[in-house]
Amino acid sequence: MDTIYALATAPGKAGVSVVRVSGPSAFGACKLLCGSVPNGRGLRPVRDRAGELIDEALILTFDQGRSFTGEEVVEFQLHGSPAITAAVLAELSHIQGLRPAEAGEFTRRALENGRLDLAQVEGLADLIDAETEAQRKQALRVFQGALGDKVIKWRENLIRAAALIEATIDFADEEVPVDVTPEVSELLAGVQSEMMAEAEGVRIAERVREGFEVAIVGAPNVGKSTLLNRLAGRDAAITSDIAGTTRDVIEVRMDLGGLPVTVLDTAGIRETDDVVEGLGIELARKRAEAADIVIYMLEMGEEPSQQFGSDTIIVRSKVDEPQEGIFGVSGKTGAGIDMLIAHIETDLRNKSARVGVAMRERHRIALLQGCDALHTAIGMMDSGIGMSDIIAEEIRTAVRATESLTGRVDVEDLLDVIFSSFCIGK
């Protein structure tokens, strides 16, 4: 396998830049540039082919089987000058057997060498992209192997169930020593229940990863854009006394209580003959129906004219002073804004409580495939020994579905897509 190298830190001026080298020639490259290879770590001069000093660097070395990739790895921790980094990369390019790494190639080697499973790779990608505390915690759980641990448990239970069923096939012409039906039924039902719970939590997990949506709706001039600007802390939307100012959906992304949230300011909902405004109103309705929470703004005395689902917060607008028994806000003075934010945070946190460790649509599909197979197997359990071979095959189908979660089977076509999202040095 080739030895690869890349800048592992962001390009540009910094306190420290790290150049990573991985592969069978990593230690040899270190010896060529530094004169010797430290045992674990050490300060070394880094020189070019002419013997001129490039920098003095902290060198970290990892033996095969003990590194992130599972190969020999050397990390050059350099002073963060773009000139120093460029010079070291240029010297590495002249060493035979070395080549620049492709996007995500270090992580791909970690997968191929058994250092990570596919779910951990996806968790690492999400960890790198995490912008909020909730995203970080969710990604870290998957990167640390939480989904893989569940898959191991499910696989063990399913293989145990399959072995018991296959034992009845082996004893088809004899009396089976023990009735295995109760134990097999319990194993299958337990795994199916856990897999279904994980599948149901995927949508919320995707929202934590990609962001929840909160739509502000209401009639024209009710204060939607003013509320958006107050939440954003800046003039994200144009405010005007002229009805119908907002024609399109304006999006502002923010962090609410550690959760990623996109707040949507929508066109005022009313009857109109203006074609463009009508398109904006229709778009507002669609985005509101798809949102996780709808803030429905109404003036005092006004009644709702639309239905947007159970996660709708009715808020009275232009309430400049707190009034008992009224959930009101004022985008102008800020009255009630803190209470509204707290309400949204509580609602989203309650939704997030249903999150498991399966985070992606491919996870959900695999889990549902496994659940379907187990549902079929459980339904056949009362049919007697004659159905044992079919039951065993359905259990094996469920095993393959669980194994696809961590990349043991049927995921080769996904790898290029997954690793293309990584930066070059990872």
Coordinates of all heavy atoms in Angstrom, one line a residue, residues 216-308:
I216 N -42.0 31.1 11.6 CA -42.8 32.2 12.2 C -43.9 32.5 11.1 O -43.6 32.9 10.0 CB -42.0 33.4 12.5 CG1 -40.8 33.1 13.4 CG2 -42.9 34.5 13.1 CD1 -39.9 34.2 13.6
V217 N -45.2 32.3 11.5 CA -46.2 32.6 10.5 C -47.2 33.6 11.1 O -47.2 33.8 12.3 CB -47.0 31.3 10.1 CG1 -46.0 30.3 9.5 CG2 -47.7 30.6 11.3
G218 N -48.1 34.1 10.3 CA -49.1 35.0 10.7 C -49.5 35.9 9.6 O -49.0 35.9 8.5
A219 N -50.4 36.8 9.9 CA -50.9 37.8 8.9 C -49.8 38.8 8.6 O -48.9 39.0 9.3 CB -52.2 38.5 9.4
P220 N -50.0 39.6 7.5 CA -49.0 40.6 7.2 C -49.0 41.7 8.3 O -50.0 41.9 9.0 CB -49.6 41.3 5.9 CG -50.4 40.2 5.3 CD -51.0 39.4 6.4
N221 N -47.8 42.2 8.6 CA -47.6 43.3 9.5 C -47.9 42.9 11.0 O -48.2 43.7 11.8 CB -48.5 44.5 9.2 CG -47.8 45.4 8.2 OD1 -46.6 45.2 7.9 ND2 -48.5 46.4 7.7
V222 N -47.9 41.6 11.3 CA -48.2 41.1 12.6 C -46.9 41.2 13.5 O -46.9 41.0 14.7 CB -48.8 39.7 12.6 CG1 -47.7 38.7 12.4 CG2 -49.5 39.4 13.9
G223 N -45.7 41.4 12.8 CA -44.5 41.5 13.6 C -43.5 40.3 13.4 O -42.6 40.1 14.2
K224 N -43.7 39.5 12.4 CA -42.9 38.3 12.2 C -41.4 38.7 11.9 O -40.5 38.1 12.5 CB -43.4 37.5 11.0 CG -44.9 37.0 11.2 CD -45.3 36.1 10.0 CE -45.3 36.8 8.7 NZ -46.2 38.0 8.6
S225 N -41.2 39.6 11.0 CA -39.8 40.0 10.7 C -39.1 40.7 11.8 O -37.9 40.5 12.1 CB -39.8 40.9 9.4 OG -40.3 40.2 8.3
T226 N -39.9 41.5 12.6 CA -39.3 42.1 13.8 C -38.9 41.1 14.8 O -37.8 41.2 15.4 CB -40.3 43.1 14.4 OG1 -40.7 44.1 13.4 CG2 -39.7 43.9 15.5
L227 N -39.7 40.1 15.0 CA -39.4 39.0 15.9 C -38.2 38.2 15.4 O -37.3 37.9 16.2 CB -40.6 38.0 16.0 CG -40.3 36.8 16.9 CD1 -39.9 37.2 18.3 CD2 -41.6 35.9 16.9
L228 N -38.1 38.0 14.1 CA -36.9 37.3 13.6 C -35.7 38.1 13.9 O -34.6 37.5 14.3 CB -37.1 37.0 12.1 CG -35.8 36.4 11.4 CD1 -35.7 34.9 11.8 CD2 -35.9 36.5 9.9
N229 N -35.7 39.4 13.6 CA -34.5 40.2 13.8 C -34.1 40.2 15.3 O -32.9 40.3 15.6 CB -34.8 41.7 13.4 CG -34.9 41.7 11.9 OD1 -34.5 40.9 11.1 ND2 -35.6 42.8 11.4
R230 N -35.1 40.2 16.2 CA -34.9 40.2 17.6 C -34.2 38.9 18.0 O -33.2 38.9 18.8 CB -36.1 40.4 18.4 CG -36.0 40.3 19.9 CD -35.2 41.4 20.5 NE -35.8 42.7 20.5 CZ -35.5 43.8 21.2 NH1 -34.4 43.6 22.1 NH2 -36.1 44.9 21.1
L231 N -34.7 37.8 17.5 CA -34.1 36.5 17.8 C -32.7 36.4 17.3 O -31.8 35.8 17.9 CB -34.9 35.3 17.2 CG -36.3 35.1 17.9 CD1 -37.1 34.1 17.1 CD2 -36.2 34.6 19.3
A232 N -32.5 36.9 16.0 CA -31.2 36.8 15.4 C -30.2 37.8 16.0 O -29.0 37.6 15.8 CB -31.3 37.1 13.9
G233 N -30.7 38.9 16.6 CA -29.8 39.9 17.1 C -29.2 40.8 16.0 O -28.2 41.5 16.2
R234 N -29.9 40.8 14.9 CA -29.4 41.7 13.8 C -30.6 41.9 12.8 O -31.6 41.2 12.9 CB -28.3 41.0 13.0 CG -28.6 39.7 12.4 CD -27.3 39.0 11.8 NE -27.6 37.7 11.3 CZ -28.1 37.4 10.1 NH1 -28.4 38.4 9.3 NH2 -28.3 36.1 9.8
D235 N -30.4 42.8 11.9 CA -31.5 43.0 10.9 C -31.4 42.0 9.8 O -30.9 42.3 8.7 CB -31.4 44.5 10.3 CG -31.7 45.5 11.4 OD1 -32.5 45.2 12.3 OD2 -31.3 46.6 11.3
A236 N -31.9 40.8 10.0 CA -31.9 39.8 9.0 C -33.0 39.9 8.0 O -32.9 39.5 6.9 CB -32.0 38.4 9.7
A237 N -34.1 40.6 8.4 CA -35.2 40.7 7.5 C -35.6 42.2 7.4 O -35.5 43.0 8.4 CB -36.4 39.9 8.0
I238 N -36.1 42.7 6.3 CA -36.6 44.0 6.1 C -37.9 44.2 6.8 O -38.8 43.3 6.7 CB -36.8 44.4 4.6 CG1 -35.4 44.3 3.9 CG2 -37.4 45.8 4.5 CD1 -35.5 44.5 2.4
T239 N -38.1 45.2 7.6 CA -39.3 45.5 8.3 C -39.9 46.8 7.7 O -39.2 47.7 7.4 CB -39.2 45.6 9.8 OG1 -38.2 46.7 10.1 CG2 -38.6 44.4 10.4
S240 N -41.3 46.7 7.6 CA -41.9 47.9 7.0 C -43.4 47.9 7.4 O -44.0 46.8 7.7 CB -41.8 47.8 5.4 OG -42.7 48.7 4.8
D241 N -44.0 49.1 7.4 CA -45.5 49.1 7.6 C -46.3 48.7 6.4 O -47.5 48.5 6.5 CB -45.8 50.6 8.0 CG -45.3 51.0 9.3 OD1 -45.0 50.1 10.1 OD2 -45.0 52.2 9.5
I242 N -45.6 48.5 5.3 CA -46.3 48.1 4.1 C -46.6 46.6 4.1 O -45.7 45.8 4.2 CB -45.5 48.5 2.8 CG1 -45.2 50.0 2.8 CG2 -46.2 48.0 1.5 CD1 -44.3 50.4 1.7
A243 N -47.8 46.2 4.0 CA -48.2 44.8 4.0 C -47.6 44.1 2.8 O -47.6 44.6 1.7 CB -49.7 44.6 4.0
G244 N -47.1 42.8 3.1 CA -46.6 42.0 2.0 C -45.1 42.3 1.7 O -44.7 41.9 0.6
T245 N -44.4 42.9 2.6 CA -43.0 43.2 2.4 C -42.2 41.9 2.2 O -41.4 41.8 1.3 CB -42.4 44.0 3.5 OG1 -43.1 45.2 3.7 CG2 -40.9 44.3 3.3
T246 N -42.4 40.9 3.0 CA -41.7 39.6 2.9 C -42.4 38.8 1.9 O -43.6 38.4 2.0 CB -41.7 38.9 4.3 OG1 -41.1 39.7 5.2 CG2 -41.0 37.6 4.1
R247 N -41.7 38.5 0.8 CA -42.3 37.6 -0.3 C -41.7 36.2 -0.3 O -42.4 35.3 -0.7 CB -42.0 38.3 -1.7 CG -42.6 39.7 -1.8 CD -44.1 39.6 -1.9 NE -44.7 40.9 -2.1 CZ -45.1 41.4 -3.4 NH1 -44.9 40.6 -4.4 NH2 -45.6 42.6 -3.5
D248 N -40.5 36.1 0.2 CA -39.8 34.8 0.2 C -39.6 34.3 1.6 O -39.9 35.1 2.6 CB -38.5 34.9 -0.6 CG -38.0 33.5 -1.1 OD1 -38.6 32.5 -0.7 OD2 -37.0 33.5 -1.8
V249 N -39.1 33.1 1.8 CA -38.8 32.6 3.2 C -37.3 33.1 3.5 O -36.4 32.8 2.7 CB -38.9 31.1 3.2 CG1 -38.4 30.6 4.6 CG2 -40.3 30.6 2.9
I250 N -37.2 33.8 4.6 CA -35.9 34.2 5.1 C -35.5 33.3 6.2 O -36.2 33.0 7.1 CB -36.0 35.7 5.6 CG1 -36.4 36.6 4.4 CG2 -34.6 36.1 6.2 CD1 -36.7 38.0 4.9
E251 N -34.2 32.8 6.1 CA -33.7 31.8 7.1 C -32.6 32.4 7.9 O -31.7 33.0 7.3 CB -33.3 30.5 6.3 CG -34.4 29.9 5.5 CD -33.9 28.6 4.8 OE1 -32.8 28.1 5.2 OE2 -34.6 28.0 4.0
V252 N -32.6 32.1 9.2 CA -31.5 32.5 10.0 C -31.2 31.3 10.9 O -32.1 30.8 11.6 CB -31.9 33.7 10.9 CG1 -30.8 34.0 11.9 CG2 -32.2 35.0 10.1
R253 N -29.9 30.9 10.9 CA -29.5 29.8 11.6 C -28.9 30.2 13.0 O -28.1 31.2 13.0 CB -28.4 29.0 10.9 CG -28.1 27.6 11.5 CD -27.3 26.8 10.5 NE -26.9 25.5 11.1 CZ -27.5 24.4 11.0 NH1 -28.7 24.4 10.4 NH2 -27.1 23.3 11.5
M254 N -29.3 29.6 14.0 CA -28.8 30.0 15.4 C -28.7 28.8 16.3 O -29.1 27.7 15.9 CB -29.7 31.0 16.0 CG -31.1 30.6 16.2 SD -32.2 32.0 16.7 CE -32.2 33.0 15.3
D255 N -28.0 29.0 17.4 CA -27.8 28.0 18.4 C -28.8 28.3 19.6 O -28.6 29.3 20.2 CB -26.4 28.0 18.9 CG -26.0 26.9 19.9 OD1 -27.0 26.5 20.7 OD2 -24.9 26.5 20.0
L256 N -29.7 27.4 19.8 CA -30.7 27.6 21.0 C -30.5 26.5 21.9 O -30.8 25.3 21.7 CB -32.1 27.6 20.5 CG -32.6 28.8 19.7 CD1 -34.1 28.7 19.4 CD2 -32.3 30.1 20.5
G257 N -29.9 26.8 23.1 CA -29.7 25.8 24.1 C -28.8 24.6 23.7 O -29.0 23.5 24.1
G258 N -27.8 24.9 22.8 CA -27.0 23.8 22.3 C -27.5 23.1 21.1 O -26.9 22.2 20.5
L259 N -28.7 23.4 20.7 CA -29.4 22.7 19.5 C -29.3 23.6 18.3 O -29.5 24.9 18.4 CB -30.8 22.4 19.8 CG -31.0 21.3 20.9 CD1 -32.5 21.3 21.3 CD2 -30.6 20.0 20.4
P260 N -29.0 23.1 17.1 CA -29.0 23.9 15.9 C -30.4 24.2 15.4 O -31.2 23.2 15.2 CB -28.2 23.0 14.9 CG -28.6 21.6 15.3 CD -28.7 21.7 16.8
V261 N -30.7 25.4 15.2 CA -32.1 25.8 14.8 C -32.0 26.8 13.7 O -31.2 27.7 13.7 CB -32.9 26.4 16.0 CG1 -34.2 26.9 15.6 CG2 -32.9 25.4 17.2
T262 N -32.9 26.6 12.7 CA -33.1 27.5 11.6 C -34.4 28.1 11.8 O -35.5 27.4 11.7 CB -33.0 26.9 10.2 OG1 -31.6 26.3 10.1 CG2 -33.2 27.9 9.1
V263 N -34.5 29.5 12.0 CA -35.7 30.2 12.2 C -36.2 30.8 10.8 O -35.3 31.4 10.1 CB -35.6 31.3 13.2 CG1 -37.0 32.0 13.4 CG2 -35.2 30.7 14.6
L264 N -37.4 30.5 10.4 CA -37.9 30.9 9.1 C -38.9 32.1 9.3 O -39.9 32.0 10.1 CB -38.6 29.8 8.5 CG -37.9 28.4 8.4 CD1 -38.8 27.4 7.8 CD2 -36.6 28.5 7.7
D265 N -38.6 33.2 8.6 CA -39.6 34.3 8.5 C -40.3 34.1 7.2 O -39.7 34.0 6.1 CB -38.9 35.6 8.6 CG -39.9 36.8 8.4 OD1 -41.1 36.6 8.7 OD2 -39.4 37.9 8.0
T266 N -41.7 34.0 7.2 CA -42.4 33.7 6.0 C -43.3 34.8 5.6 O -43.6 35.8 6.4 CB -43.3 32.4 6.3 OG1 -44.3 32.7 7.3 CG2 -42.5 31.2 6.7
A267 N -43.8 34.7 4.4 CA -44.7 35.8 3.9 C -46.0 35.8 4.7 O -46.5 34.7 5.2 CB -45.1 35.5 2.4
G268 N -46.6 37.0 4.9 CA -47.8 37.1 5.7 C -49.0 36.4 4.9 O -49.1 36.5 3.7
I269 N -49.7 35.6 5.7 CA -50.8 34.8 5.1 C -52.1 35.6 5.0 O -52.6 36.1 6.0 CB -51.0 33.5 5.9 CG1 -49.7 32.7 5.9 CG2 -52.2 32.7 5.4 CD1 -49.8 31.4 6.8
R270 N -52.5 35.8 3.8 CA -53.8 36.5 3.5 C -54.2 36.2 2.1 O -53.5 35.6 1.3 CB -53.6 38.0 3.7 CG -52.6 38.6 2.6 CD -52.6 40.1 2.7 NE -51.6 40.7 1.7 CZ -51.5 41.9 1.5 NH1 -52.2 42.8 2.1 NH2 -50.6 42.4 0.6
E271 N -55.4 36.6 1.8 CA -55.9 36.5 0.4 C -55.4 37.6 -0.4 O -55.3 38.8 0.0 CB -57.5 36.6 0.4 CG -58.2 35.4 1.1 CD -57.9 34.1 0.5 OE1 -57.7 34.0 -0.8 OE2 -57.8 33.1 1.2
T272 N -54.8 37.3 -1.6 CA -54.2 38.4 -2.4 C -54.3 38.1 -3.9 O -54.4 36.9 -4.3 CB -52.7 38.5 -2.1 OG1 -52.1 39.5 -2.9 CG2 -52.0 37.2 -2.3
D273 N -54.4 39.1 -4.7 CA -54.4 38.9 -6.2 C -53.0 39.1 -6.8 O -52.9 38.9 -8.0 CB -55.3 40.0 -6.8 CG -56.8 39.8 -6.4 OD1 -57.2 38.6 -6.2 OD2 -57.5 40.8 -6.2
D274 N -52.0 39.4 -5.9 CA -50.7 39.6 -6.4 C -50.1 38.2 -6.6 O -50.0 37.4 -5.7 CB -49.8 40.4 -5.4 CG -48.4 40.7 -5.9 OD1 -47.8 39.8 -6.4 OD2 -48.0 41.8 -5.7
V275 N -49.7 37.9 -7.9 CA -49.2 36.5 -8.2 C -47.9 36.2 -7.4 O -47.8 35.1 -6.8 CB -48.9 36.4 -9.7 CG1 -48.3 35.0 -10.0 CG2 -50.2 36.6 -10.5
V276 N -47.0 37.1 -7.3 CA -45.7 36.9 -6.7 C -45.9 36.7 -5.2 O -45.4 35.8 -4.5 CB -44.7 38.0 -6.9 CG1 -43.4 37.8 -6.1 CG2 -44.4 38.1 -8.4
E277 N -46.8 37.6 -4.6 CA -47.1 37.4 -3.2 C -47.8 36.1 -2.9 O -47.5 35.4 -1.9 CB -47.9 38.6 -2.7 CG -48.1 38.6 -1.1 CD -49.0 39.7 -0.6 OE1 -49.5 40.5 -1.5 OE2 -49.3 39.7 0.6
G278 N -48.7 35.7 -3.8 CA -49.4 34.4 -3.7 C -48.4 33.3 -3.6 O -48.6 32.3 -2.9
L279 N -47.4 33.3 -4.5 CA -46.4 32.2 -4.5 C -45.7 32.2 -3.1 O -45.4 31.1 -2.6 CB -45.4 32.4 -5.6 CG -46.0 32.3 -7.0 CD1 -44.9 32.7 -8.1 CD2 -46.4 30.8 -7.3
G280 N -45.4 33.4 -2.6 CA -44.7 33.4 -1.3 C -45.6 32.9 -0.2 O -45.1 32.2 0.7
I281 N -46.9 33.2 -0.2 CA -47.8 32.7 0.8 C -47.9 31.1 0.7 O -47.9 30.4 1.7 CB -49.2 33.3 0.6 CG1 -49.1 34.8 1.0 CG2 -50.2 32.6 1.5 CD1 -50.3 35.6 0.6
E282 N -48.0 30.6 -0.5 CA -48.0 29.2 -0.7 C -46.8 28.5 -0.2 O -46.8 27.4 0.5 CB -48.3 28.8 -2.1 CG -48.4 27.3 -2.4 CD -49.5 26.7 -1.7 OE1 -50.5 27.4 -1.4 OE2 -49.5 25.4 -1.4
L283 N -45.6 29.1 -0.4 CA -44.3 28.6 0.1 C -44.3 28.6 1.6 O -43.8 27.7 2.2 CB -43.2 29.4 -0.5 CG -41.8 29.0 -0.1 CD1 -41.5 27.5 -0.4 CD2 -40.7 29.9 -0.7
A284 N -44.9 29.7 2.2 CA -44.9 29.9 3.6 C -45.7 28.7 4.2 O -45.3 28.1 5.3 CB -45.5 31.2 4.0
R285 N -46.8 28.4 3.6 CA -47.7 27.3 4.2 C -46.9 26.0 4.1 O -46.9 25.2 5.1 CB -49.0 27.2 3.4 CG -50.0 28.3 3.6 CD -51.3 28.0 3.1 NE -52.3 29.0 3.4 CZ -52.7 29.9 2.5 NH1 -52.2 29.9 1.3 NH2 -53.6 30.8 2.8
K286 N -46.2 25.7 3.0 CA -45.5 24.4 2.9 C -44.4 24.3 3.9 O -44.2 23.3 4.5 CB -45.0 24.3 1.4 CG -46.1 24.1 0.4 CD -45.5 23.9 -1.0 CE -46.6 23.6 -2.0 NZ -46.0 23.5 -3.4
R287 N -43.6 25.4 4.0 CA -42.5 25.4 5.0 C -43.0 25.2 6.4 O -42.3 24.6 7.2 CB -41.6 26.6 4.8 CG -40.9 26.7 3.5 CD -39.9 25.6 3.3 NE -38.8 25.6 4.3 CZ -37.7 26.2 4.1 NH1 -37.4 26.9 3.0 NH2 -36.7 26.1 5.0
A288 N -44.1 25.9 6.7 CA -44.6 25.8 8.1 C -45.1 24.4 8.4 O -44.9 23.9 9.5 CB -45.8 26.8 8.2
E289 N -45.7 23.7 7.4 CA -46.2 22.4 7.6 C -45.1 21.4 7.8 O -45.2 20.4 8.5 CB -47.1 21.9 6.4 CG -48.4 22.7 6.3 CD -49.1 22.4 5.0 OE1 -48.5 21.7 4.1 OE2 -50.2 22.9 4.8
A290 N -43.9 21.7 7.2 CA -42.8 20.8 7.3 C -41.9 21.1 8.5 O -41.0 20.3 8.9 CB -41.9 20.8 6.1
A291 N -42.1 22.3 9.2 CA -41.3 22.7 10.3 C -41.5 21.9 11.5 O -42.6 21.3 11.7 CB -41.5 24.2 10.6
D292 N -40.5 21.9 12.4 CA -40.7 21.2 13.7 C -41.6 21.9 14.7 O -42.3 21.3 15.5 CB -39.3 20.9 14.3 CG -38.4 20.1 13.4 OD1 -38.6 18.9 13.3 OD2 -37.5 20.7 12.7
I293 N -41.5 23.2 14.7 CA -42.3 24.1 15.5 C -42.8 25.3 14.7 O -42.0 25.8 13.9 CB -41.5 24.6 16.7 CG1 -41.1 23.4 17.7 CG2 -42.3 25.6 17.5 CD1 -40.2 23.8 18.8
V294 N -44.0 25.6 14.9 CA -44.6 26.8 14.3 C -44.9 27.9 15.3 O -45.6 27.6 16.3 CB -45.9 26.5 13.5 CG1 -46.5 27.8 12.9 CG2 -45.5 25.5 12.3
I295 N -44.4 29.1 15.2 CA -44.8 30.2 16.0 C -45.8 31.0 15.3 O -45.6 31.6 14.3 CB -43.6 31.1 16.3 CG1 -42.5 30.3 17.0 CG2 -44.0 32.3 17.2 CD1 -41.2 31.1 17.2
Y296 N -47.1 30.8 15.7 CA -48.2 31.5 15.0 C -48.5 32.8 15.7 O -49.0 32.8 16.8 CB -49.4 30.5 15.1 CG -50.5 30.9 14.1 CD1 -51.5 29.9 13.9 CD2 -50.6 32.1 13.5 CE1 -52.6 30.2 13.0 CE2 -51.6 32.4 12.6 CZ -52.6 31.4 12.4 OH -53.6 31.7 11.5
M297 N -48.2 33.9 15.1 CA -48.3 35.2 15.7 C -49.7 35.8 15.3 O -50.1 35.9 14.2 CB -47.2 36.1 15.2 CG -45.8 35.7 15.6 SD -44.6 36.9 15.3 CE -45.0 38.1 16.5
L298 N -50.4 36.2 16.4 CA -51.7 36.8 16.2 C -51.8 38.1 17.1 O -51.2 38.2 18.2 CB -52.8 35.9 16.7 CG -52.9 34.5 16.0 CD1 -53.8 33.6 16.8 CD2 -53.5 34.7 14.6
E299 N -52.5 39.1 16.6 CA -52.7 40.3 17.4 C -53.8 40.0 18.4 O -54.6 39.1 18.3 CB -53.0 41.5 16.5 CG -51.9 41.9 15.6 CD -52.2 43.2 14.9 OE1 -53.0 44.0 15.3 OE2 -51.5 43.5 13.9
M300 N -53.8 40.9 19.4 CA -54.8 40.7 20.5 C -56.2 40.7 19.9 O -56.6 41.5 19.0 CB -54.7 41.8 21.5 CG -53.4 41.8 22.2 SD -53.2 40.4 23.3 CE -54.4 40.7 24.6
G301 N -57.0 39.7 20.3 CA -58.4 39.6 19.8 C -58.5 38.8 18.5 O -59.7 38.5 18.1
E302 N -57.4 38.5 17.8 CA -57.5 37.8 16.6 C -57.5 36.3 16.9 O -56.9 35.8 17.8 CB -56.3 38.1 15.7 CG -56.3 37.6 14.3 CD -55.0 37.9 13.5 OE1 -54.2 38.6 14.1 OE2 -55.0 37.6 12.3
E303 N -58.2 35.5 16.0 CA -58.3 34.1 16.2 C -57.6 33.4 15.1 O -57.5 33.9 13.9 CB -59.8 33.6 16.2 CG -60.6 34.1 17.4 CD -60.0 33.6 18.7 OE1 -59.6 32.4 18.7 OE2 -60.0 34.3 19.7
P304 N -57.0 32.2 15.3 CA -56.3 31.4 14.3 C -57.2 31.1 13.1 O -58.3 30.7 13.2 CB -55.8 30.1 15.0 CG -55.9 30.5 16.4 CD -57.0 31.4 16.6
S305 N -56.6 31.3 11.9 CA -57.4 31.0 10.6 C -56.8 29.8 9.9 O -57.3 29.4 8.9 CB -57.4 32.2 9.7 OG -56.0 32.6 9.4
Q306 N -55.6 29.3 10.4 CA -54.9 28.1 9.8 C -54.6 27.1 10.8 O -54.6 27.3 12.0 CB -53.6 28.6 9.2 CG -53.8 29.7 8.1 CD -54.2 29.2 6.8 OE1 -53.9 28.2 6.4 NE2 -55.1 30.0 6.1
Q307 N -54.4 25.9 10.4 CA -54.0 24.8 11.2 C -52.6 24.3 10.7 O -52.4 24.0 9.6 CB -55.0 23.6 11.2 CG -56.4 23.9 11.7 CD -56.3 24.1 13.2 OE1 -55.5 23.5 13.9 NE2 -57.2 25.0 13.7
F308 N -51.7 24.2 11.7 CA -50.3 23.8 11.3 C -49.8 22.6 12.1 O -48.6 22.3 12.0 CB -49.3 25.0 11.5 CG -49.6 26.1 10.6 CD1 -50.2 27.3 11.0 CD2 -49.2 26.1 9.2 CE1 -50.5 28.3 10.2 CE2 -49.5 27.1 8.4 CZ -50.1 28.3 8.9

